[in-house]
């Protein structure tokens, strides 16, 4: 149910965490890079160019997102459709990169253990994940799902300290793990709904179907606007985890 046009309504706002994540990476010659959850490929191209990578592969499960990737690929940068859970490789990577994607994948203990096995001896991992579950924009979606007798979307993101502990156990010699709050000045409170329509609410849209999702959105909109009130502009705070580590 990913809609590139809906997702990219806030493209500029979504770029800053990506660029902050790139800033953590150590640039090394002849890097072989994989971007898990590459979306349209536009930011993967920026990653590839900034690192002067020897080879970059972008993986995404959404066919609609990847339709736009042809504009960004070349002989050194290619894209494939696939699920992060099913990703395997017989050639290790110098960098495993993932921007705003791994929060959709369950069991992070097992996931990070598996991804680490795909790294070269001095390989790096760089990951950014939303961690905004306590904001009304996310919490009210859970509330509405319960009120409709539906299973709410649960984030698989671990507490921050657990990632530092996990990276240490996996043998990473150096690491940087932090929570960062990004503030976005949106046109109005209603713009928050447009923001989450492109991300969080895609899961409900896929599972509920057209009729139920319309009812879900009606309840969600009312509860959210009642909670946040009408502010113009609205300062939307969004927490994200950024982590980098090197073996």
């Amino acid at each position: 149910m990913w809609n590139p046009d809906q997702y990219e309504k806030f493209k500029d706002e979504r770029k800053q965490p990506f660029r902050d994540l790139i800033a953590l990476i150590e640039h090394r010659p002849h890097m072989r890079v994989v971007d898990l959850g590459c979306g349209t490929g536009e930011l993967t191209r920026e990653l590839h160019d900034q690192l002067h990578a020897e080879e970059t592969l972008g993986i995404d499960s959404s066919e609609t997102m990847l339709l736009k990737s042809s504009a960004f690929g070349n002989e050194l940068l290619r894209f494939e459709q696939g699920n992060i859970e099913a990703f395997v490789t017989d050639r290790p990577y110098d960098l495993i990169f993932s921007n705003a994607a791994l929060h959709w994948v369950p069991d992070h203990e097992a996931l990070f253990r598996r991804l680490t096995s795909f790294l070269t001896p001095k390989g790096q991992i760089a990951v950014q994940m939303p961690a905004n579950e306590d904001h009304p924009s996310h919490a009210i979606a859970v509330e509405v799902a319960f009120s409709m007798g539906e299973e709410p979307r649960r984030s698989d993101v671990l507490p921050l300290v657990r990632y530092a502990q996990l990276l240490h156990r996996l043998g990473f010699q150096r690491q940087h793990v932090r929570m960062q709050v990004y503030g976005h000045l949106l046109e109005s409170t209603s713009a928050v709904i447009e923001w989450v329509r492109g991300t969080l609410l895609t899961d409900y849209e896929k599972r509920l179907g057209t009729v139920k999702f319309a009812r879900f959105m009606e309840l969600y909109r009312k509860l959210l606007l009642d909670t946040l009130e009408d502010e113009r502009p609205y300062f939307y705070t969004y927490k994200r985890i950024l982590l980098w580590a090197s073996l």
Side-chain angles (χ1 to χ4, degrees), residues 3-243:
N3 183 330
D5 295 328
Q6 181 72 35
Y7 184 83
E8 292 189 345
K9 282 184 179 180
F10 302 96
K11 182 167 70 172
D12 291 340
E13 290 86 350
R14 298 187 197 280
K15 275 186 179 180
Q16 190 57 52
F18 164 81
R19 289 174 175 159
D20 290 344
L21 186 61
I22 285 186
L24 297 175
I25 299 168
E26 292 184 352
H27 293 214
R28 299 171 184 171
H30 312 300
M31 291 179 74
R32 190 164 183 265
V33 177
V34 62
D35 181 6
L36 300 176
C38 64
T40 64
E42 181 177 356
L43 295 181
T44 311
R45 178 59 183 269
E46 187 172 326
L47 170 71
H48 176 80
D49 290 346
Q50 284 203 30
L51 296 177
H52 302 290
E54 185 168 278
E55 175 188 353
T56 301
L57 171 65
I59 299 285
D60 203 278
S61 62
S62 171
E63 183 179 0
T64 55
M65 284 289 200
L66 288 173
L67 286 174
K68 293 192 172 187
S69 67
S70 59
F72 307 109
N74 57 37
E75 65 275 11
L76 302 178
L77 168 59
R78 59 191 178 88
F79 299 94
E80 292 180 2
Q81 185 176 3
N83 293 317
I84 295 172
E85 301 96 311
F87 173 73
V88 293
T89 181
D90 55 3
R91 286 184 60 203
Y93 284 90
D94 300 296
L95 171 67
I96 293 177
F97 182 91
S98 184
N99 179 61
L102 295 192
H103 60 296
W104 294 103
V105 182
D107 194 355
H108 280 198
E109 297 268 355
L111 173 64
F112 275 75
R113 186 164 54 249
R114 190 166 60 85
L115 294 181
T116 301
S117 72
F118 300 146
L119 287 172
T120 56
K122 294 187 180 295
Q124 303 176 70
I125 187 168
V127 173
Q128 183 271 116
M129 298 173 288
N132 216 36
E133 301 306 304
D134 58 352
H135 191 280
S137 60
H138 289 57
I140 286 173
V142 172
E143 184 180 341
V144 171
F146 273 131
S147 74
M148 294 178 63
E150 301 292 340
E151 184 68 23
R153 154 75 187 161
R154 297 293 191 185
S155 173
D156 291 289
V157 175
L158 301 173
L160 187 67
V161 171
R162 289 273 297 280
Y163 287 105
Q165 295 168 336
L166 177 59
L167 292 170
H168 172 73
R169 288 201 308 271
L170 291 174
F172 288 92
Q173 300 301 302
R174 291 175 294 136
Q175 62 170 268
H176 177 107
V177 179
R178 76 174 189 256
M179 179 81 76
Q180 184 158 333
V181 180
Y182 290 88
H184 305 290
L185 195 61
L186 305 184
E187 180 179 322
S188 67
T189 306
S190 295
V192 175
I193 299 169
E194 291 303 304
W195 182 294
V196 293
R197 275 295 302 266
T199 53
L200 170 72
L201 299 186
T202 59
D203 178 66
Y204 292 100
E205 186 175 9
K206 179 174 69 174
R207 292 192 286 117
L208 297 182
T210 303
V211 175
K212 279 189 175 181
F213 184 65
R215 175 60 176 158
F216 178 96
M217 286 303 304
E218 180 184 345
L219 294 172
Y220 177 83
R221 177 181 293 274
K222 183 180 187 308
L223 275 175
L224 186 70
L225 296 182
D226 285 349
T227 300
L228 298 182
E229 300 181 347
D230 187 18
E231 291 187 24
R232 299 170 183 268
Y234 177 72
F235 186 69
Y236 185 31
T237 55
Y238 207 107
K239 294 188 294 186
R240 297 178 184 272
I241 291 175
L242 289 88
L243 65 85

